[in-house]
Amino acid sequence: MTTPLRNRIARLIAAFATAFAIALPSATLGADTQFDKMRAKIAAFVADKMEKLGGSRIIYKVDTDGLREAVVTDLRDDVYKILREGRIAFSGLAIRDGGVDVKIADAKGREQLTRKLASAAEGLPAYALAVTDGGDGLLRLAPTDAASAARLRDLVEDSIAMIEQRLKDAGIALASVQPEGADRIRIFLPGTMEPERITAIFARKVRVGFRLIDLSMPAERAQTGTPPAGTEVLLGFKDKLPYLVAMDSALEGDDISYAGPGFASDTKEPIASFRFNGRGTRRFAHVTAENVGRPFAIVLDDKVISAPVIREPITGGSGQIAGNFTLEEANSVAMLLRAGSLPGRLGLVEQQVVHPATKP
């Protein structure tokens, strides 16, 4: 769920460029410094516009309870995967009091599990774990305080990316979306005097689905007639062609742990790559094993982003989405995949109209 810093900077540059031309910071500056300076410039520019034009001020709170639940659920699934793959005998695997408990009688098995978890978290502070020996083979695993704080920062940044994309899709070019405190997001919209119209944009969560394509009839015929029971016709994100897809999703956004833009190793074309959590990895392996030779659709907000054919069982828990994308489109697709995996919903804390400053 972590957004690469360079993509955050690119988003900020694009947002700022809609307001006026700007020279990029010196390449000698660190990435964090660039990001902070760009964000500060956007905030200052939009605040000035708010003072002159008035507008809307909206504050959201991210779902910290949903985040904690998602983090611990993913940890339990990762532990289960390691234990099964390593053929380590265990019992009592359960979520308890914000962490995961598991009993492993064999000392070598306990060591193997902790080593695998530490290796997976290497270089990723947000995944660091505290391991407590409860005696008699009992291990208690829980995110460290620093890891929990890092995950919260990532959730806020991903939520900001989703908000910015939704505003852009709604044709709102001038806005400032900034973190406020640890778990809140502040939106300034100069010249927009109807905050309710904006909050309606975020009233629903991004819908992500991995659905099988129905081959029982041509999609064009289903589009003009009656599609088979349990199916519907959706249009392609870019090609605008009809696709006959199952209504039920084999996997959903909650099964994704990471998504980001990149380039295909062979064609170098822009792609969106993704990785499933432990539960999603198992589901995807089962679905692909059962449907080799069939196409399946990756669906975002009722648009088919890609419809690849399953060539073989996919057991590694990751994949790539290619669709003749521009780099900006690949970034948008990756952002929507991340948004679909965000825990819970944004909670509206405040919305108000800010009137222009009174002239002397």
Side-chain angles (χ1 to χ4, degrees), residues 258-262 271-275 319-321 330 334 337:
Y258 167 81
I271 59 169
S273 61
F274 62 89
R275 184 168 60 246
Q320 298 177 344
I321 304 173
L337 287 172

Side-chain angles (χ1 to χ4, degrees), residues 17 29 45 101 118 165 198 205 249 268 310 314 327 347-348:
L29 293 173
F45 177 76
D101 288 354
Q165 184 66 40
I198 304 304
K205 187 177 179 180
S249 292
K268 307 302 180 185
I310 301 170
I314 303 172
L327 184 55
L348 181 62

Side-chain angles (χ1 to χ4, degrees), residues 279-311:
R279 178 186 58 210
T281 297
R282 292 194 299 275
R283 288 180 178 176
F284 199 50
H286 175 74
V287 169
T288 53
E290 292 288 319
N291 293 280
V292 171
R294 288 189 61 183
F296 74 99
I298 302 171
V299 180
L300 293 177
D301 278 348
D302 293 331
K303 294 179 182 177
V304 176
I305 302 299
S306 183
V309 174
I310 301 170
R311 301 298 183 189

Side-chain angles (χ1 to χ4, degrees), residues 98 125-126 128-130 142-153:
L129 296 174
T144 64
D145 290 343
S148 296
R151 285 290 187 100
L152 180 56
R153 287 193 298 272

Side-chain angles (χ1 to χ4, degrees), residues 77-95:
D77 291 345
D78 288 342
V79 169
Y80 179 78
K81 180 182 178 182
I82 292 172
L83 294 173
R84 288 296 301 269
E85 290 178 351
R87 299 187 178 183
I88 301 170
F90 68 95
S91 62
L93 176 62
I95 294 173

Side-chain angles (χ1 to χ4, degrees), residues 105-123:
D106 181 46
K108 289 184 178 180
R110 296 195 296 274
E111 180 185 352
Q112 183 178 344
L113 173 63
T114 54
R115 187 173 63 250
K116 286 275 190 181
L117 290 171
S119 175
E122 187 176 355

Side-chain angles (χ1 to χ4, degrees), residues 46-117:
V46 172
D48 179 66
K49 289 294 183 183
M50 286 283 288
E51 186 175 356
K52 294 177 180 177
L53 303 175
S56 295
R57 179 177 183 267
I58 302 170
I59 296 179
Y60 281 106
K61 183 180 184 296
V62 299
D63 185 1
T64 52
D65 291 337
L67 174 63
R68 283 191 289 268
E69 181 180 345
V71 167
V72 177
T73 299
D74 286 349
L75 174 58
R76 180 199 60 193
D77 291 345
D78 288 342
V79 169
Y80 179 78
K81 180 182 178 182
I82 292 172
L83 294 173
R84 288 296 301 269
E85 290 178 351
R87 299 187 178 183
I88 301 170
F90 68 95
S91 62
L93 176 62
I95 294 173
R96 191 168 291 112
D97 299 328
V100 173
D101 288 354
V102 62
K103 194 167 186 178
I104 304 173
D106 181 46
K108 289 184 178 180
R110 296 195 296 274
E111 180 185 352
Q112 183 178 344
L113 173 63
T114 54
R115 187 173 63 250
K116 286 275 190 181
L117 290 171

